[in-house]
């Protein structure tokens, strides 16, 4: 059995994590942006490891994220409690309807649109990162970029702390493989009207390097 598999969206995130690692058994792989490619790549990596007789002990979706104002600061670290597919569902005159509420048979929903992280893995990360903000992390296909969409998203998910684009896909892959899952993010910008000049990517990557020592 091998150690943790950590998947990121882009190489810069992987490099930031590798710079802070203290455990040589942790594998860090950039797999691409979005839940579909992240889920497919994570599933392949988990299957290859299992087929080789060296399954991973767990998989972590890691990288930078947007944080909800008042819930987590820019540069802060987030540990997810659940990976939520925040825009998987249907629009209606009465508002957004999550896929879970559309009346589909349970067998078609997989793990549902909200997948809990592994409690043991989360507890280990929380012990190593006591100052991290803990709460659900939303997975979106379209990054939130207006005040109206931010308000709607915040209203639907009042306990969510951040949004990113890969966690739910990786969580589904982990659930199908029977492997513990967790999500670790650092915040580069507040969720809201899109303003690239206000993003603090460098600070978020530095924070990701600092948090990487918890991955063991």
């Amino acid at each position: 059995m091998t150690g943790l598999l950590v998947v990121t969206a882009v190489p810069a995130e992987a490099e930031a994590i590798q710079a802070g690692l203290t455990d040589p058994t942790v594998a860090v792989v950039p797999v691409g942006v979005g839940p579909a490619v992240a889920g497919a790549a994570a599933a392949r990596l988990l299957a290859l490891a299992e087929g080789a007789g060296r399954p991973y002990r767990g998989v972590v979706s890691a990288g930078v994220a947007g944080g909800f104002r008042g819930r987590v600061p820019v540069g802060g670290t987030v540990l997810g409690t659940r990976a939520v597919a925040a825009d998987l569902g249907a629009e209606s005159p009465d508002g957004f309807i999550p896929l879970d509420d559309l009346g589909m048979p349970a067998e078609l929903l997989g793990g549902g649109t909200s997948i809990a992280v592994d409690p043991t893995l989360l507890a280990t990360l929380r012990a190593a990162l006591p100052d991290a903000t803990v709460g659900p992390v939303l997975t979106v296909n379209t990054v939130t970029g207006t005040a109206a969409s931010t308000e709607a998203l915040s209203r639907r998910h009042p306990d969510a702390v951040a949004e990113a684009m890969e966690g739910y896909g990786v969580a589904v892959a982990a659930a199908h493989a029977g492997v513990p899952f967790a999500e670790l993010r650092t915040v580069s910008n507040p969720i809201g009207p899109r303003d690239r000049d206000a993003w603090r990517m460098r600070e978020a990557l530095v924070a990701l390097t600092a948090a990487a020592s918890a991955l063991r």
Side-chain angles (χ1 to χ4, degrees), residues 87-91 96-113 168:
D87 52 10
L88 184 59
E91 290 186 329
F96 179 80
I97 305 174
L99 185 64
D100 300 35
D101 298 339
L102 290 177
M104 294 183 182
E107 61 268 20
L108 297 182
L109 297 180
T113 58
Y168 178 75

Side-chain angles (χ1 to χ4, degrees), residues 118-189:
D118 180 76
T120 301
L121 190 49
L122 175 59
T124 299
L125 292 172
R126 290 189 71 172
L129 299 168
D131 295 328
T133 300
V134 180
V137 176
L138 308 183
T139 298
V140 295
N141 287 279
T142 302
V143 173
T144 306
T146 68
S149 58
T150 300
E151 181 181 357
L153 196 63
S154 183
R155 187 169 57 250
R156 293 205 310 269
H157 303 280
D159 57 346
V161 294
E163 74 167 21
M165 300 184 76
E166 293 79 33
Y168 178 75
V170 179
V172 170
H176 279 272
V179 174
F181 163 79
E183 186 162 9
L184 167 66
R185 298 282 173 180
T186 55
V187 174
S188 61
N189 58 281

Side-chain angles (χ1 to χ4, degrees), residues 6-9 13 17 60-64 166 182-185 208 215:
V6 179
V7 293
T8 71
E13 294 167 323
I17 291 171
V60 179
S61 178
V64 301
E166 293 79 33
E183 186 162 9
L184 167 66
R185 298 282 173 180
L208 200 56
L215 300 169

Side-chain angles (χ1 to χ4, degrees), residues 8-75:
T8 71
V10 299
E13 294 167 323
E15 291 164 6
I17 291 171
Q18 288 168 333
L21 282 179
T22 59
D23 185 343
T25 70
V26 177
V28 186
V29 185
V31 296
V33 177
V37 67
R44 180 175 183 273
L45 291 167
L46 292 171
L48 287 172
E50 183 178 4
R54 301 180 62 199
Y56 287 104
R57 296 178 185 269
V59 57
V60 179
S61 178
V64 301
F68 282 96
R69 294 181 187 273
R71 303 179 193 176
V72 58
V74 171

